[in-house]
Amino acid sequence: MIRVSIDPAPIELALELAALEERGAGGVASFTGVVRGGDGITALELEHYPGMTEDALCTLAEQAMDRWSLLGVTVLHRVGRMEVGERIVFIGTAAAHRREALAACAYLIDRLKTDAPFWKREWRGEAASWVEARESDAEAASRW
Amino acid sequence: MIRVSIDPAPIELALELAALEERGAGGVASFTGVVRGGDGITALELEHYPGMTEDALCTLAEQAMDRWSLLGVTVLHRVGRMEVGERIVFIGTAAAHRREALAACAYLIDRLKTDAPFWKREWRGEAASWVEARESDAEAASRW
Amino acid sequence: MELLYFAWVREAVGVGQERVDPPEAVYNVADLICWLAGQSPGHAAAFADPTKLRAAIDQRFVSLDTPLHGAKEVALFPPVTGG
Amino acid sequence: MELLYFAWVREAVGVGQERVDPPEAVYNVADLICWLAGQSPGHAAAFADPTKLRAAIDQRFVSLDTPLHGAKEVALFPPVTGG
């Protein structure tokens, strides 16, 4: 079961994890990205390429299902404006064994960073700046 | 911040994850082990070595904190009888970067399997059998 | 050909979407970027440095040397930064 | 010396805890297991095969060749299966 969603609404962690647990898996792994404060950041804004983003995330989820023995994959990404402490992204994987669930979870977040058309803008009060892509993300994605 | 608990009470996933998110981390990784049905299994029963278990889990959590740059580690393990679909174990890690959170999470569940004194019994209706240790768990723990 | 712009490319050009009809000589994505740079001061700011740009043709990531042949929708944007 | 038993070791012996005073010749954990095997039919069932057993002295995992010297609490059990 694949669930992919790009939504301005907050991510409901408990609901998403419960749905994965109900897949009958022995193990559920998750990664949640949260807007981090510090460096004067007050909010984050996410823009995406409607249509292409959904396809890119579905393709990633299908690749993970093919590569590992998974019973469920959930990939959620928020778009629009988010305050410090809010969730940006959620990856959840369900598998009979922990190794598969954990590996697929790491794969999905690494590849999402380079393979899905999102752009992030940091707000510091009234000032906004586009986040630059990091070389380390390309390296992390290439190890798969 | 380290939180370790061995408890017969159910694991409250949403509360535990929210506490980790409040550490101000950019990323929270988790692994949840769930009682899997199939093969006639109706319930699982977990026995442990009181006192030593808490020490073993605290030591693991401290090792993870030392090895990765973590803002929070939570290790929860249920004991007693659990029905199919219930949570047995929860590992949660909070870090500024996803790599640390995910690696520490995988480390903790791999090492918990070999380093903490728990014993698992499977119930099939009225019949019970002790689960045998798996060679693959020793291998997974040794890679760290 | 339908063009889509995202992030600071969209902001520099001033619109997120426009329809263009480039000349025959505009063969690949890099040619398109070069041609677009001459269309207005906003376009010039957005398309001056192709090394800062990435592209998708018909919703698939492509390298800048990819021919435009048959492309219906071309998107130009900075490297992605999701997650 | 306080002994603790877990899982099927506890079930075979019939108690989870007992106090014993082994002779001087019982030097390490393996010796203790061998000596315990002679204490009752239940003990015999639990301690017949030392390769199936693991141990902790004063709440730390130890190998079976570890001397008992000064041990207050010795636990004997099958390989752990948590998580």
Side-chain angles (χ1 to χ4, degrees):
Chain A
M1 188 203 66
I2 288 176
R3 167 161 152 71
V4 163
S5 170
I6 294 134
D7 199 323
I11 293 168
E12 300 286 356
L13 218 52
L15 286 182
E16 300 300 340
L17 286 165
L20 285 162
E21 287 179 2
E22 279 162 20
R23 301 299 302 157
V28 172
S30 78
F31 177 81
T32 310
V34 176
V35 180
R36 195 151 43 109
D39 198 24
I41 292 170
T42 50
L44 220 59
E45 193 185 338
L46 263 290
E47 176 173 337
H48 77 121
Y49 184 167
M52 182 173 168
T53 321
E54 287 81 351
D55 278 356
L57 297 186
C58 283
T59 299
L60 280 182
E62 284 159 11
Q63 285 169 354
M65 291 286 265
D66 286 347
R67 188 156 165 179
W68 291 280
S69 217
L70 302 178
L71 294 160
V73 172
T74 299
V75 179
L76 311 179
H77 206 298
R78 267 188 88 185
V79 289
R81 187 183 165 96
M82 286 154 252
E83 309 300 313
V84 169
E86 289 189 58
R87 297 173 193 126
I88 312 163
V89 62
F90 171 84
I91 306 283
T93 53
H97 303 292
R98 68 186 186 283
R99 183 60 60 87
E100 279 82 2
L102 286 162
C105 185
Y107 167 86
L108 286 162
I109 186 65
D110 275 352
R111 293 294 296 270
L112 181 149
K113 293 255 175 189
T114 57
D115 291 14
F118 290 102
W119 298 273
K120 198 180 276 169
R121 179 145 66 164
E122 292 171 345
W123 285 88
R124 291 172 174 80
E126 297 300 302
S129 59
W130 292 98
V131 173
E132 298 223 9
R134 281 188 293 180
E135 188 55 42
S136 62
D137 285 337
E139 283 160 22
S142 70
R143 78 187 166 111
W144 300 102
Chain B
M1 188 203 67
I2 288 176
R3 168 161 152 70
V4 163
S5 170
I6 294 134
D7 199 324
I11 292 167
E12 299 287 354
L13 218 52
L15 286 181
E16 300 299 340
L17 286 165
L20 285 162
E21 287 179 3
E22 280 162 19
R23 303 298 304 157
V28 172
S30 79
F31 177 80
T32 309
V34 177
V35 180
R36 195 150 44 106
D39 198 22
I41 292 169
T42 50
L44 220 57
E45 194 185 337
L46 264 290
E47 177 173 335
H48 77 120
Y49 185 168
M52 181 172 168
T53 321
E54 288 81 351
D55 278 358
L57 296 186
C58 282
T59 299
L60 280 183
E62 284 160 11
Q63 284 168 354
M65 292 286 264
D66 286 347
R67 188 156 165 180
W68 291 280
S69 218
L70 302 178
L71 294 159
V73 172
T74 299
V75 180
L76 311 180
H77 206 297
R78 268 189 87 184
V79 289
R81 187 183 165 95
M82 286 154 251
E83 309 300 313
V84 169
E86 290 190 58
R87 297 174 192 124
I88 313 164
V89 61
F90 172 84
I91 307 283
T93 52
H97 303 292
R98 69 186 185 282
R99 183 61 61 89
E100 279 83 2
L102 286 162
C105 185
Y107 168 85
L108 285 162
I109 186 64
D110 275 352
R111 294 294 296 270
L112 182 149
K113 294 255 174 190
T114 58
D115 291 14
F118 290 102
W119 297 274
K120 198 180 276 170
R121 179 145 66 165
E122 291 171 345
W123 285 87
R124 291 173 175 79
E126 298 299 302
S129 59
W130 293 98
V131 173
E132 298 223 9
R134 280 188 292 180
E135 188 54 42
S136 62
D137 285 337
E139 283 160 22
S142 70
R143 78 186 167 112
W144 300 102
Chain C
M1 177 187 303
E2 200 69 33
L3 295 186
L4 296 179
Y5 306 131
F6 294 101
W8 57 254
V9 178
R10 172 180 52 73
E11 291 190 309
V13 175
V15 296
Q17 189 159 6
E18 64 180 334
R19 200 168 188 86
V20 297
D21 192 12
E24 285 277 327
V26 172
Y27 176 72
N28 63 22
V29 179
D31 297 337
L32 177 65
I33 289 169
C34 184
W35 177 76
L36 282 167
Q39 300 301 301
S40 83
H43 286 78
F47 300 112
D49 184 354
T51 66
K52 292 189 173 169
L53 297 171
R54 301 291 180 272
I57 293 182
D58 296 332
Q59 308 202 353
R60 289 186 174 273
F61 289 115
V62 295
S63 60
L64 301 192
D65 60 0
T66 307
L68 294 167
H69 177 76
K72 290 190 197 96
E73 181 177 297
V74 179
L76 297 167
F77 42 77
V80 300
T81 56
Chain D
M1 178 188 302
E2 200 68 33
L3 295 186
L4 297 179
Y5 307 131
F6 294 102
W8 56 255
V9 178
R10 172 179 54 72
E11 291 190 309
V13 176
V15 296
Q17 190 159 5
E18 64 180 334
R19 202 169 186 84
V20 296
D21 192 12
E24 286 276 328
V26 172
Y27 175 72
N28 64 22
V29 179
D31 297 337
L32 177 66
I33 289 168
C34 184
W35 177 75
L36 283 167
Q39 301 301 301
S40 83
H43 286 80
F47 300 112
D49 185 355
T51 65
K52 292 187 173 170
L53 296 171
R54 300 293 181 271
I57 293 181
D58 295 332
Q59 307 201 354
R60 289 186 173 275
F61 289 114
V62 295
S63 59
L64 301 193
D65 60 1
T66 307
L68 295 167
H69 176 76
K72 291 190 198 94
E73 181 175 297
V74 179
L76 298 167
F77 42 76
V80 301
T81 56

